[in-house]
Structure formats: structure tokens, C-alpha cells
Amino acid sequence: MYKYNANDQQIVEERAKQFRGQVERRLQGSVLEDEFKPLRLQNGLYMQLHAYMLRVAVPYGLLSSEQLRRLGHIARTYDRGYAHFTTRQNVQYNWPELADVPKILDELAAVQMHAIQTSGNCIRNTTADHLAGVARDEIEDPRPYCELIRQWSTFHPEFVFLPRKFKIAMTGAPAHDRAAIRFHDIGVRIVDNDRGQRGFEVWVGGGLGRTPHIAKVCRGFVEYEHLLSYIEAILRVYNRRGRRDNKYKARIKILVNELGIDAFRALVDAEWEEIKDSTLKLERSAIEQIVAQFAPPTYETLVDENLAKLILGKDRELASFVRNNLRPHKAPGYIAVIVSLKPVGRPPGDVSDTQLDAIADIADTYSNGRVVVTHGQNLVLPEVRQKDLAALHKALGEWDLATPNIGQLTDSICCPGLDFCNLANARSIPVAMEIAERFDRVDFLEDLGEISLKISGCINACGHHHVGNIGILGIDKLGVEAYQLLLGGSPGNDASIGEIIGRAFGASEIVNAVQTVLDVYLAQRSSADERFVGTYRRIGKTPFKDALYGDN
Amino acid sequence: MEIIRDQKIVQDSWRHIEDGDPVPESGDVTVSLIRFGAERSDLDARSGRDGVRVGPDEEIDTIIADLGKLPLIAVTFPKFTDGRGYSTARLLRGRHGYTGELRATGQIFRDQLFYLHRVGFDAFEMAPGKSLSDALEGFSDFSVTYQSSSR
């Protein structure tokens, strides 16, 4: 894991000090709220419906047990005893007092964390595959490059007031994108070219929000030493030419679409030509220093266990857990375990202070002290010995952290919605919770198989409803909460944007509508192996529409 | 009026002449980029120095040939959240080697100074009502940086 050097540490400490001064000047009145707003936003501090919300950065989702304990301590001391993991691998506190935020930043700085650029019209936290470093299908760990991007983008003096926010994601598993790179402003895929060289395929202009776009390839192969110069070229073109007349047309996806990818690429190439051999050019030795910090732990010499035995064993809960919550690990005898933050009866992604402490202890015992936040709002224990699975399952169960529903319907993604957010048109958490309760039958969920449900409380799409196999979008229909249903979305290598099926449903109808969609799928799938999205693509939307709205 | 130049509070005598207003015979003035192009011979005939103002959406191509002689370029920030002027500064300093005074004007607040200074600005007209001595502290918000820039 990346360890801060003296400079890194100084920067986060000075940031806490700077923000303390900004808060003091705001409270005294020498800084007006209009001037303060962009300052607090660049530090992740939002004004929400009832209170401030502080978003803390978790670079590429990676946390140590020490950091988790500190997050729990902050939840206990400055908030209401819980924290919320987000779809961008960050963590949010919903109830801090403004005057306490500088203290929270000090607490974070003490464990090499910060809230820098977690909001505002700047370069945000770079996200990565949550199985980075352990996935069997990975060709290279993307996190050292994410860390380089983190450093380059931190207080980049030219790009602090972009037209709009800017999000970068990276994957090192070209065949299996778990980081949704096609739905980011810049998506980076580590690839080998046809001459056997390692480098980066750079995608641009993806995004969700009001006008969802699948990104386009901006350059098929960027040599490793040019990663930062190529990204800087894109950012400079965007900063100078991105639209600033309408915030809904200000993301880079609109610029790319209006210019066309070829014209956009020509502008980037012209800019890149000027800067590619500048000081932005990466030295292999500098990269290797960072790569060394992400070196895997020394693995014990183990062999793969017969996990089928656990699946067929007497402990049915353990069997479900093993079937759904594990992901292959590159080292023999090891496994990555996904801890569900979606038990029935809790808002997706929420964890209590005591659960954070418990996860830290469990990570120390079972996972080399490491935890990774997923963009599905769950946590990964990346370094688990397969022989410890039963004991780990028991330890998680004691903290209500063993829900065996990863990849299933109840593993939904959900934005905070109208319960917290002042942009929202409708509540989203209660819909997610009602669906979780309605379908909370292990056998039914197992039979249904892999399916994703994503819920947003407004068109800004924080719940990524466009890329849910089933997406739900909360809207305001003449002052009443209503929900549109979208089907067929997917965020991965087979990226697709869900289609709106028909008129919106009322709050009392939407869960029945989901039931109807599931019934059609179960009746129409070619076999139990055909996933929901496969059936949808094969039969199209008509059978679903007919079942939902009748034939007329 | 008082401005900040080279991280000090100094008296400044440059006047910004709006389009449509007459340019005085003497004294140091700035004019808009368009006027700078259109009224070059009249400006050259004056006794004072001539600088140019560049708006956030203006390209600097037309003044590249003059950069060696220009004593002052004022990049305007009508809205502080419009960050195009930061790229303008980097291009002027880094790509085109401009060494004269590069001044930020408009909605300039203390918390932008660290960034503006790094992209190459060396003079700052603060927004009305803002304390200049308070603003000076903005230069030292951070003592280390990650990326290369103009400085």
C-alpha cells in the first residue's frame, strides 16, 4: 500500500490548516457564502437538505485497518455513529458540524487521508478495479498509475476551475472491466499492443447524468511514460473549450459529442505533441518506486481448497456466502471476499462505527490488514486464505456483515435520494429497502442469479440507473414522487445504456413493477444460465412492456 | 490603486480603457484584445505604454508576435469559477515565453492566488472590498507541490 512521504504528509496537513482558515474567515464573514462554496466543495463539503455532508477520498478504494478504525472514530465522535460508502469508492459523513470539519481533516491527515477534490469542478478521486492487485484476469495492477494520477491532479494549478467535475477510472483487467471505464470522463485500460508492449488505452467522454454516453477510444495505445502528458492534453482542451454556458452541457462528453471524436482527438494530439516530452514524461524509475509500494504481500505456499465442499455442506448460509461473495485470487489457496453492505433493513452502503472497527479487526486477522471499497458500495477483503473462510464467515456474521447477496438483486446501488439530498426528486433508499424486503428469499435470489438493480433519486444519476440491468429513476410528477423503469443497462466490457420502458410508476407500484419484470425474465430465459441482461438483449423490451402495461 | 505585484502591495497607475471610451494621449493603459488589433497605429502614437486585456474566451494567437514587446497582459476573470484564464497563462508563459507582467483582474480572491501564481501570474488586482494584506497569505498555503507548472 502506498505510504506517504514527507511531502505527501505536508500537503494534507497544510490542506487541513488552509481549510481551518477558510472556515474561520467564513464564520467571521470576510468570505461570503458564494465565495466559500467552491472552496468547501473542493474539500468535499456539501450543503445537503438537513446538514453539511463531508466526502472523504479513498484513493482507488484502498484502506488499511488503521484508516478504517479512524473512519469509525470520526463517525462516533463527529457524526451520528455511521458512515456511508459511495459509488466512487469514497466515504461520506452526513451530519458533521462545519466548525468540526477542520478537526476531522486533522484526524484524516494523521492516517494519510484527506477530502481533497472530492467535489467541485475539478479532477476527482481516481477509481480503480476493486480487485486490483489480486484478480486473476488482471495483466497489471492499475493502482500505482492511479496514485501517479492522484498526485498529478492534486491541486493542479491549471485545472481547479474546470467547466464541470472530472472523473477518471482505470482497470488493469482488459478482458473484464469492473471499474466502468466506459462511463467516465476518462477511462484508462492497461493493454498490450500487437508488438507486445504494455501501455494504456484511453477512453474519453463517457458519463451518466441527464445525457448518458458510452465513452469513445481517444487513443488506442499510449506508452507508459506519456500517461500524464496525454491526460494533461485532454484536460487542457477540455478546460479551454468545454461549454460553460449551461452546467448540464458542461461535461466533457458534450464537448466530445459536439466536436465529434475525430476533431476532439485532433485537438488533443496537437496539444499532446507540444507537451509529451516535457517534465510530464514519466521516468521508469519513478514509476517503479511507486509500483514497489503496491507489491503484493508474501503469500504462504498454499493450494486451492475444494470450495465445492463448502457449497454442498450443511451450513447453508456459508454455502450461499461461498457461492456468491467470493472472487478468484491470483495466488493459490487465497481468495478475495466481498463483504456485503446490503443486509435487508439498512440503506445500501451504510456502516456503523462499531462495524468499521470490527471490519478493521477482521481485516487484520484475515486479510493482511487491507480492505477495498467497491463502486458497488461493498467492501473487499482482498487477501483471504481459503482455509479461513468458515472462520471469517462466522466473524462477519457476528456483525451482520455476512449477507450472501453479492451480484444479486438485493445487492443494489442506490443514491442518498430525497432523504438527504437537495437535488433529489424522489426517495431512493426506501425503494431499495422495500425491494430488498420483498425479494429476501435465498432460493429465489439464487435462482434469479446475477442481476443488477440501480436506483437514482433524480436525473443526475448518482445511483447509476442507466447501467443497471434494472434501473429505477425517481422523478417528480406534478409534485408526487414517481419512478421510471429502465431495462438492459450494463457498465462493463459489454457496456450498454438502459432503455426507458414506459410511463412512470407511483411509489406504491414500483416494487410490483420490478416483480413483473422478474416474472417475465424467469418465464422467458432460455436456461437457468442465461443472465437477465442476456435474456433482455435476446427478446427485447416488448414482452416486458406488454406485461407491465398491457397490450394496448 | 493598490495591487499585488511580486507578492508585495504596490501602487499601480495602469488604467483599463473600456471599448468605446477614448484612449488618453499619455499614461499606461490596457485595451481589449480586439481594440489592440484594430487601433495599433493610434496606440503606437501615444506617449504612454500599451497593455492588452484578454478575456476568458479569447485566443491569444493574434498577439503572439507582440509578446516580446508587450509590457503587460491582463487576463480577466469576470467569474472566478471560470478557469480558462489559468490555461491562457500557462500557454503565455510556458509555450510562448512571455516574460512581461501577467496580471489577473476581475473576481480575484485570496484562495485563488496560490494557483494563479503557479500558472504564471505575477500581478493581481483583487476583487473590490477584499483586504490585500490578508490576500498575501494566500501565496503560502502550500509549501510543496506535485506537478511542474510555470513555477
Side-chain angles (χ1 to χ4, degrees), chain A residues 41-61:
Chain A
L41 284 179
Q42 301 222 342
N43 226 0
L45 194 62
Y46 283 78
M47 181 73 95
Q48 295 233 303
L49 270 185
H50 313 290
Y52 280 109
M53 180 275 279
L54 177 67
R55 183 180 295 147
V56 175
V58 183
Y60 31 89

PDB file of all heavy atoms in Angstrom, chain A residues 41-61:
ATOM      1  N   LEU A  41     -16.505  22.975  -1.504  1.00  0.00           N
ATOM      2  CA  LEU A  41     -16.776  21.843  -2.395  1.00  0.00           C
ATOM      3  C   LEU A  41     -15.479  21.139  -2.779  1.00  0.00           C
ATOM      4  O   LEU A  41     -15.422  19.916  -2.823  1.00  0.00           O
ATOM      5  CB  LEU A  41     -17.511  22.301  -3.644  1.00  0.00           C
ATOM      6  CG  LEU A  41     -19.000  22.613  -3.454  1.00  0.00           C
ATOM      7  CD1 LEU A  41     -19.612  23.079  -4.766  1.00  0.00           C
ATOM      8  CD2 LEU A  41     -19.762  21.398  -2.936  1.00  0.00           C
ATOM      9  N   GLN A  42     -14.402  21.938  -3.015  1.00  0.00           N
ATOM     10  CA  GLN A  42     -13.145  21.291  -3.399  1.00  0.00           C
ATOM     11  C   GLN A  42     -12.557  20.522  -2.228  1.00  0.00           C
ATOM     12  O   GLN A  42     -11.564  19.829  -2.365  1.00  0.00           O
ATOM     13  CB  GLN A  42     -12.149  22.323  -3.931  1.00  0.00           C
ATOM     14  CG  GLN A  42     -12.742  23.032  -5.140  1.00  0.00           C
ATOM     15  CD  GLN A  42     -11.767  23.238  -6.269  1.00  0.00           C
ATOM     16  OE1 GLN A  42     -10.574  23.170  -6.085  1.00  0.00           O
ATOM     17  NE2 GLN A  42     -12.278  23.464  -7.453  1.00  0.00           N
ATOM     18  N   ASN A  43     -13.195  20.669  -1.100  1.00  0.00           N
ATOM     19  CA  ASN A  43     -12.810  19.878   0.056  1.00  0.00           C
ATOM     20  C   ASN A  43     -13.908  18.900   0.440  1.00  0.00           C
ATOM     21  O   ASN A  43     -13.969  18.437   1.583  1.00  0.00           O
ATOM     22  CB  ASN A  43     -12.509  20.792   1.229  1.00  0.00           C
ATOM     23  CG  ASN A  43     -11.239  20.391   1.918  1.00  0.00           C
ATOM     24  OD1 ASN A  43     -10.575  19.430   1.513  1.00  0.00           O
ATOM     25  ND2 ASN A  43     -10.903  21.077   2.961  1.00  0.00           N
ATOM     26  N   GLY A  44     -14.805  18.628  -0.487  1.00  0.00           N
ATOM     27  CA  GLY A  44     -15.798  17.586  -0.269  1.00  0.00           C
ATOM     28  C   GLY A  44     -16.927  17.946   0.667  1.00  0.00           C
ATOM     29  O   GLY A  44     -17.628  17.056   1.153  1.00  0.00           O
ATOM     30  N   LEU A  45     -17.116  19.232   0.921  1.00  0.00           N
ATOM     31  CA  LEU A  45     -18.145  19.605   1.894  1.00  0.00           C
ATOM     32  C   LEU A  45     -19.360  20.174   1.167  1.00  0.00           C
ATOM     33  O   LEU A  45     -19.310  21.258   0.589  1.00  0.00           O
ATOM     34  CB  LEU A  45     -17.579  20.629   2.884  1.00  0.00           C
ATOM     35  CG  LEU A  45     -18.421  20.861   4.129  1.00  0.00           C
ATOM     36  CD1 LEU A  45     -18.548  19.595   4.961  1.00  0.00           C
ATOM     37  CD2 LEU A  45     -17.831  21.982   4.960  1.00  0.00           C
ATOM     38  N   TYR A  46     -20.440  19.424   1.201  1.00  0.00           N
ATOM     39  CA  TYR A  46     -21.686  19.825   0.549  1.00  0.00           C
ATOM     40  C   TYR A  46     -22.665  20.346   1.589  1.00  0.00           C
ATOM     41  O   TYR A  46     -22.683  19.879   2.723  1.00  0.00           O
ATOM     42  CB  TYR A  46     -22.378  18.605  -0.065  1.00  0.00           C
ATOM     43  CG  TYR A  46     -21.831  18.081  -1.350  1.00  0.00           C
ATOM     44  CD1 TYR A  46     -20.686  17.300  -1.371  1.00  0.00           C
ATOM     45  CD2 TYR A  46     -22.498  18.315  -2.537  1.00  0.00           C
ATOM     46  CE1 TYR A  46     -20.217  16.770  -2.560  1.00  0.00           C
ATOM     47  CE2 TYR A  46     -22.038  17.789  -3.724  1.00  0.00           C
ATOM     48  CZ  TYR A  46     -20.901  17.013  -3.735  1.00  0.00           C
ATOM     49  OH  TYR A  46     -20.441  16.489  -4.904  1.00  0.00           O
ATOM     50  N   MET A  47     -23.533  21.256   1.153  1.00  0.00           N
ATOM     51  CA  MET A  47     -24.694  21.605   1.959  1.00  0.00           C
ATOM     52  C   MET A  47     -25.829  20.724   1.484  1.00  0.00           C
ATOM     53  O   MET A  47     -26.231  20.805   0.328  1.00  0.00           O
ATOM     54  CB  MET A  47     -25.031  23.080   1.744  1.00  0.00           C
ATOM     55  CG  MET A  47     -26.209  23.546   2.559  1.00  0.00           C
ATOM     56  SD  MET A  47     -25.784  23.696   4.289  1.00  0.00           S
ATOM     57  CE  MET A  47     -25.385  25.435   4.354  1.00  0.00           C
ATOM     58  N   GLN A  48     -26.326  19.862   2.374  1.00  0.00           N
ATOM     59  CA  GLN A  48     -27.421  18.990   1.959  1.00  0.00           C
ATOM     60  C   GLN A  48     -28.735  19.488   2.543  1.00  0.00           C
ATOM     61  O   GLN A  48     -28.818  20.602   3.041  1.00  0.00           O
ATOM     62  CB  GLN A  48     -27.120  17.559   2.372  1.00  0.00           C
ATOM     63  CG  GLN A  48     -25.900  17.030   1.626  1.00  0.00           C
ATOM     64  CD  GLN A  48     -26.151  15.732   0.937  1.00  0.00           C
ATOM     65  OE1 GLN A  48     -26.534  14.774   1.568  1.00  0.00           O
ATOM     66  NE2 GLN A  48     -25.951  15.674  -0.352  1.00  0.00           N
ATOM     67  N   LEU A  49     -29.761  18.665   2.486  1.00  0.00           N
ATOM     68  CA  LEU A  49     -31.082  19.104   2.934  1.00  0.00           C
ATOM     69  C   LEU A  49     -31.079  19.531   4.388  1.00  0.00           C
ATOM     70  O   LEU A  49     -31.638  20.556   4.750  1.00  0.00           O
ATOM     71  CB  LEU A  49     -32.087  17.952   2.772  1.00  0.00           C
ATOM     72  CG  LEU A  49     -32.819  17.864   1.441  1.00  0.00           C
ATOM     73  CD1 LEU A  49     -33.841  16.745   1.519  1.00  0.00           C
ATOM     74  CD2 LEU A  49     -33.504  19.176   1.091  1.00  0.00           C
ATOM     75  N   HIS A  50     -30.442  18.733   5.256  1.00  0.00           N
ATOM     76  CA  HIS A  50     -30.547  18.979   6.686  1.00  0.00           C
ATOM     77  C   HIS A  50     -29.247  19.459   7.304  1.00  0.00           C
ATOM     78  O   HIS A  50     -29.252  19.993   8.399  1.00  0.00           O
ATOM     79  CB  HIS A  50     -30.985  17.694   7.411  1.00  0.00           C
ATOM     80  CG  HIS A  50     -32.130  16.999   6.759  1.00  0.00           C
ATOM     81  ND1 HIS A  50     -33.395  17.518   6.767  1.00  0.00           N
ATOM     82  CD2 HIS A  50     -32.193  15.859   6.044  1.00  0.00           C
ATOM     83  CE1 HIS A  50     -34.205  16.707   6.087  1.00  0.00           C
ATOM     84  NE2 HIS A  50     -33.492  15.694   5.638  1.00  0.00           N
ATOM     85  N   ALA A  51     -28.140  19.210   6.649  1.00  0.00           N
ATOM     86  CA  ALA A  51     -26.846  19.477   7.278  1.00  0.00           C
ATOM     87  C   ALA A  51     -25.768  19.477   6.215  1.00  0.00           C
ATOM     88  O   ALA A  51     -26.034  19.254   5.042  1.00  0.00           O
ATOM     89  CB  ALA A  51     -26.550  18.375   8.309  1.00  0.00           C
ATOM     90  N   TYR A  52     -24.527  19.713   6.650  1.00  0.00           N
ATOM     91  CA  TYR A  52     -23.397  19.528   5.739  1.00  0.00           C
ATOM     92  C   TYR A  52     -23.126  18.042   5.564  1.00  0.00           C
ATOM     93  O   TYR A  52     -23.409  17.230   6.446  1.00  0.00           O
ATOM     94  CB  TYR A  52     -22.138  20.188   6.312  1.00  0.00           C
ATOM     95  CG  TYR A  52     -22.091  21.684   6.096  1.00  0.00           C
ATOM     96  CD1 TYR A  52     -22.254  22.566   7.159  1.00  0.00           C
ATOM     97  CD2 TYR A  52     -21.874  22.205   4.826  1.00  0.00           C
ATOM     98  CE1 TYR A  52     -22.197  23.933   6.965  1.00  0.00           C
ATOM     99  CE2 TYR A  52     -21.819  23.573   4.625  1.00  0.00           C
ATOM    100  CZ  TYR A  52     -21.976  24.434   5.688  1.00  0.00           C
ATOM    101  OH  TYR A  52     -21.925  25.781   5.476  1.00  0.00           O
ATOM    102  N   MET A  53     -22.571  17.701   4.403  1.00  0.00           N
ATOM    103  CA  MET A  53     -22.118  16.335   4.176  1.00  0.00           C
ATOM    104  C   MET A  53     -20.648  16.427   3.776  1.00  0.00           C
ATOM    105  O   MET A  53     -20.288  17.256   2.944  1.00  0.00           O
ATOM    106  CB  MET A  53     -22.934  15.681   3.054  1.00  0.00           C
ATOM    107  CG  MET A  53     -22.542  14.251   2.728  1.00  0.00           C
ATOM    108  SD  MET A  53     -21.192  14.120   1.568  1.00  0.00           S
ATOM    109  CE  MET A  53     -22.054  14.346   0.016  1.00  0.00           C
ATOM    110  N   LEU A  54     -19.804  15.603   4.413  1.00  0.00           N
ATOM    111  CA  LEU A  54     -18.378  15.602   4.107  1.00  0.00           C
ATOM    112  C   LEU A  54     -18.014  14.310   3.387  1.00  0.00           C
ATOM    113  O   LEU A  54     -18.269  13.213   3.898  1.00  0.00           O
ATOM    114  CB  LEU A  54     -17.540  15.713   5.390  1.00  0.00           C
ATOM    115  CG  LEU A  54     -16.026  15.642   5.170  1.00  0.00           C
ATOM    116  CD1 LEU A  54     -15.519  16.868   4.415  1.00  0.00           C
ATOM    117  CD2 LEU A  54     -15.290  15.506   6.507  1.00  0.00           C
ATOM    118  N   ARG A  55     -17.420  14.457   2.207  1.00  0.00           N
ATOM    119  CA  ARG A  55     -16.992  13.282   1.452  1.00  0.00           C
ATOM    120  C   ARG A  55     -15.476  13.145   1.576  1.00  0.00           C
ATOM    121  O   ARG A  55     -14.736  14.073   1.260  1.00  0.00           O
ATOM    122  CB  ARG A  55     -17.387  13.425  -0.011  1.00  0.00           C
ATOM    123  CG  ARG A  55     -17.037  12.210  -0.838  1.00  0.00           C
ATOM    124  CD  ARG A  55     -17.437  12.394  -2.288  1.00  0.00           C
ATOM    125  NE  ARG A  55     -18.873  12.503  -2.441  1.00  0.00           N
ATOM    126  CZ  ARG A  55     -19.483  13.248  -3.372  1.00  0.00           C
ATOM    127  NH1 ARG A  55     -18.773  13.956  -4.211  1.00  0.00           N
ATOM    128  NH2 ARG A  55     -20.784  13.275  -3.466  1.00  0.00           N
ATOM    129  N   VAL A  56     -15.047  12.001   2.031  1.00  0.00           N
ATOM    130  CA  VAL A  56     -13.622  11.736   2.247  1.00  0.00           C
ATOM    131  C   VAL A  56     -13.107  10.872   1.098  1.00  0.00           C
ATOM    132  O   VAL A  56     -13.762   9.918   0.689  1.00  0.00           O
ATOM    133  CB  VAL A  56     -13.432  10.999   3.593  1.00  0.00           C
ATOM    134  CG1 VAL A  56     -11.983  10.601   3.800  1.00  0.00           C
ATOM    135  CG2 VAL A  56     -13.942  11.855   4.745  1.00  0.00           C
ATOM    136  N   ALA A  57     -11.933  11.221   0.592  1.00  0.00           N
ATOM    137  CA  ALA A  57     -11.368  10.474  -0.533  1.00  0.00           C
ATOM    138  C   ALA A  57     -10.781   9.144  -0.063  1.00  0.00           C
ATOM    139  O   ALA A  57     -10.086   9.086   0.953  1.00  0.00           O
ATOM    140  CB  ALA A  57     -10.273  11.301  -1.214  1.00  0.00           C
ATOM    141  N   VAL A  58     -11.062   8.110  -0.823  1.00  0.00           N
ATOM    142  CA  VAL A  58     -10.378   6.828  -0.621  1.00  0.00           C
ATOM    143  C   VAL A  58      -9.729   6.497  -1.960  1.00  0.00           C
ATOM    144  O   VAL A  58     -10.367   5.904  -2.819  1.00  0.00           O
ATOM    145  CB  VAL A  58     -11.360   5.717  -0.191  1.00  0.00           C
ATOM    146  CG1 VAL A  58     -10.590   4.424   0.074  1.00  0.00           C
ATOM    147  CG2 VAL A  58     -12.175   6.123   1.022  1.00  0.00           C
ATOM    148  N   PRO A  59      -8.493   6.945  -2.159  1.00  0.00           N
ATOM    149  CA  PRO A  59      -7.875   6.745  -3.470  1.00  0.00           C
ATOM    150  C   PRO A  59      -7.930   5.277  -3.904  1.00  0.00           C
ATOM    151  O   PRO A  59      -7.577   4.385  -3.115  1.00  0.00           O
ATOM    152  CB  PRO A  59      -6.430   7.221  -3.259  1.00  0.00           C
ATOM    153  CG  PRO A  59      -6.565   8.257  -2.182  1.00  0.00           C
ATOM    154  CD  PRO A  59      -7.624   7.704  -1.257  1.00  0.00           C
ATOM    155  N   TYR A  60      -8.450   5.097  -5.148  1.00  0.00           N
ATOM    156  CA  TYR A  60      -8.648   3.762  -5.733  1.00  0.00           C
ATOM    157  C   TYR A  60      -9.262   2.760  -4.744  1.00  0.00           C
ATOM    158  O   TYR A  60      -9.121   1.553  -4.886  1.00  0.00           O
ATOM    159  CB  TYR A  60      -7.354   3.209  -6.353  1.00  0.00           C
ATOM    160  CG  TYR A  60      -6.072   3.683  -5.660  1.00  0.00           C
ATOM    161  CD1 TYR A  60      -5.544   2.982  -4.591  1.00  0.00           C
ATOM    162  CD2 TYR A  60      -5.449   4.850  -6.069  1.00  0.00           C
ATOM    163  CE1 TYR A  60      -4.426   3.439  -3.935  1.00  0.00           C
ATOM    164  CE2 TYR A  60      -4.321   5.317  -5.406  1.00  0.00           C
ATOM    165  CZ  TYR A  60      -3.814   4.600  -4.345  1.00  0.00           C
ATOM    166  OH  TYR A  60      -2.705   5.054  -3.676  1.00  0.00           O
ATOM    167  N   GLY A  61      -9.979   3.277  -3.738  1.00  0.00           N
ATOM    168  CA  GLY A  61     -10.767   2.436  -2.841  1.00  0.00           C
ATOM    169  C   GLY A  61     -10.000   1.709  -1.754  1.00  0.00           C
ATOM    170  O   GLY A  61     -10.586   0.986  -0.948  1.00  0.00           O
TER     171      GLY A  61
END
